[in-house]
Amino acid sequence: MTISRRVAVFLLAFGVWTYFLWPTFIYNIWGSDRSWVAGSPTGYLVVHLVIAVVSLVLGTAIGVLGIRALRAAAR
């Protein structure tokens, strides 16, 4: 499959955006009053952490695809 330079840049930008967005989200969820009860994590925190981790993994994969496609386009 051939990925155009335009699509490769989009994929890379999506990966970078993911690393900008989700750590901020995790920080905000971690500090939320609904995340902890008596020092123990709640379901709210656990679910949102799982969502954030999955999103970071997918963002990483998409960003790597973008980098590889840009390198292939340069050759």
Side-chain angles (χ1 to χ4, degrees):
M1 173 197 303
T2 303
I3 297 176
S4 69
R5 181 178 287 278
R6 182 183 215 180
V7 172
V9 169
F10 174 78
L11 292 174
L12 181 58
F14 183 85
V16 170
W17 172 253
T18 298
Y19 272 88
F20 173 75
L21 178 76
W22 287 104
T24 303
F25 181 77
I26 292 170
Y27 177 78
N28 291 333
I29 292 298
W30 194 269
S32 174
D33 294 337
R34 295 183 285 175
S35 296
W36 303 95
V37 174
S40 297
T42 62
Y44 174 80
L45 176 65
V46 172
V47 166
H48 284 88
L49 283 178
V50 169
I51 291 169
V53 168
V54 169
S55 295
L56 285 169
V57 168
L58 292 174
T60 300
I62 291 169
V64 167
L65 286 174
I67 289 171
R68 291 180 69 190
L70 280 175
R71 286 183 180 168
R75 281 189 255 145

